[in-house]
Amino acid sequence: MILKMLSLAGDERSDEQGQRSDNLQGVQLMPRISIQLHATVDDLVGLLLAMRDGERGDLLGFARHEVQAKIEWQELSSSTVAQYERVIALPRGATASIGDDLEALIERCAFLSFSVPEVDGDRLKDTLVGVLDPHGNYPEQLAMWRKLLNRFKKPLIRGATFRNPLAGESQFYPSLLATPAAVALSRNGVALMLGDVNTAEFITGDASRSEA
């Protein structure tokens, strides 16, 4: 089970290569681009702020399967993002309304979405950053998101030993990704967890810089 989950970590996927689905709202939505990694909320706020002014549309706080709030770009902060289960960034010209669901959004644009990292005591869960454009209707927007995520990936740390002490499993995975800030947390005693495998420990001692 753990090994199967790990095979999905850190890959950018296209339709031809196969994709990890994001099971939201009871439907399978397949990201055109996805990066599974360990990151802090500050890291993901930095990803959003790296968008140029001319690229920014509505920024949305998402929970309980629908848009809960519009976040003003000038008020964007880690504390604001942490209020929601998920944050969605729309490209320039795309708008949304409170109560919109994902199916409504995918009819309007290709958008960036990430699950807000959960901190449970001394454990940090992984997050999935993805771009959704299930019908392939927005190639120019998809290209913009790809460039943004390629820049985001450059400083990431790639490669770690994944341990499950209870199962006695230990294996090195070169595709696992983490931000430098997440790695720093792990060195200060925070366990980096993959999904809900609460007994697994993400060890970054073998890590190296990710290649874009």
Side-chain angles (χ1 to χ4, degrees):
M1 177 68 176
I2 293 174
L3 305 188
K4 183 177 180 181
M5 291 176 65
L6 285 171
S7 69
L8 298 172
D11 292 337
E12 179 176 319
R13 305 179 190 280
S14 66
D15 286 337
E16 294 78 11
Q17 293 171 319
Q19 303 154 325
R20 170 177 172 171
S21 64
D22 211 347
N23 191 0
L24 299 170
Q25 212 174 330
V27 295
Q28 294 287 320
L29 297 177
M30 311 299 283
R32 289 295 174 121
I33 306 169
S34 65
I35 306 171
Q36 185 181 357
L37 77 161
H38 286 86
T40 66
V41 175
D42 285 348
D43 291 323
L44 297 173
V45 169
L47 169 63
L48 295 172
L49 291 176
M51 293 177 65
R52 300 179 177 89
D53 289 342
E55 298 172 337
R56 298 175 179 178
D58 280 354
L59 187 61
L60 311 171
F62 198 89
R64 296 186 295 279
H65 311 310
E66 64 182 25
V67 176
Q68 297 290 319
K70 290 188 178 182
I71 302 171
E72 297 296 330
W73 281 96
Q74 62 269 28
E75 297 176 2
L76 176 61
S77 67
S78 295
S79 59
T80 301
V81 167
Q83 298 177 41
Y84 304 102
E85 297 171 4
R86 178 172 301 275
V87 169
I88 293 172
L90 306 186
R92 182 180 181 181
T95 60
S97 301
I98 304 301
D100 280 350
D101 59 18
L102 287 176
E103 291 179 333
L105 297 180
I106 63 177
E107 297 300 326
R108 301 173 193 163
C109 61
F111 59 87
L112 178 75
S113 170
F114 61 78
S115 54
V116 177
E118 296 181 46
V119 179
D120 179 13
D122 58 355
R123 296 176 175 183
L124 175 66
K125 293 186 178 181
D126 64 322
T127 186
L128 181 70
V129 180
V131 177
L132 277 78
D133 179 17
H135 306 308
N137 293 333
Y138 307 98
E140 292 184 2
Q141 295 173 2
L142 188 64
M144 178 201 65
W145 293 123
R146 193 182 302 277
K147 289 179 181 178
L148 177 71
L149 291 177
N150 282 343
R151 294 196 299 269
F152 177 69
K153 286 173 65 177
K154 285 184 179 180
L156 296 184
I157 306 299
R158 178 185 292 272
T161 298
F162 199 84
R163 302 186 191 278
N164 186 326
L166 294 182
E169 295 180 351
S170 176
Q171 189 167 344
F172 178 75
Y173 287 89
S175 63
L176 290 176
L177 296 174
T179 64
V183 171
L185 287 177
S186 74
R187 290 172 179 163
N188 287 317
V190 175
L192 306 184
M193 313 301 295
L194 185 64
D196 295 323
V197 186
N198 293 326
T199 58
E201 193 175 351
F202 187 74
I203 307 298
T204 54
D206 302 309
S208 61
R209 290 287 177 177
S210 173
E211 294 182 2

